[in-house]
Amino acid sequence: MLQSEKAASPSAESGPGPEPDPPVQTCIPRAFPWDDALALGLGALGWRPGDFWSATPREFAAALGRRARPEPLSREAFEDLLAAYPDRTSDGADR
């Protein structure tokens, strides 16, 4: 046995040693719904198979109308903007 191995091995005097790490919980991802995607792409959108398979996920989502959109401006926010930036006439007076 090498000297470094001797020093690394626990002895009865040193105690039980560090606690083992708790097990890591993993989740199994759900399978991608290919049947639904194909039905939408080939059926609802009327794409040819080559068009479907060459589209990126972003293109597919855009074709389905599922793009991230900002929240519409609320009436209160609109009123705040009008107060902060009032319309002016050609002579510089507020309307």
Side-chain angles (χ1 to χ4, degrees):
M1 182 179 273
L2 296 174
Q3 185 67 18
S4 63
E5 290 176 335
K6 227 185 239 186
S9 65
S11 67
E13 300 159 4
S14 66
E19 291 290 321
D21 290 335
V24 176
Q25 291 187 1
T26 58
C27 62
I28 299 172
R30 294 183 299 168
F32 186 80
W34 286 110
D35 291 339
D36 294 337
L38 284 166
L40 289 169
L42 304 179
L45 296 174
W47 288 359
R48 296 174 303 197
D51 296 331
F52 174 80
W53 291 111
S54 66
T56 65
R58 183 171 288 193
E59 291 168 333
F60 188 61
L64 293 172
R66 297 181 181 175
R67 295 184 302 257
R69 296 182 182 136
E71 289 290 318
L73 192 63
S74 69
R75 183 67 183 181
E76 181 182 356
F78 178 68
E79 296 291 339
D80 291 343
L81 282 173
L82 285 176
Y85 303 99
D87 290 335
R88 300 194 186 277
T89 60
S90 59
D91 63 358
D94 288 343
R95 273 195 211 178

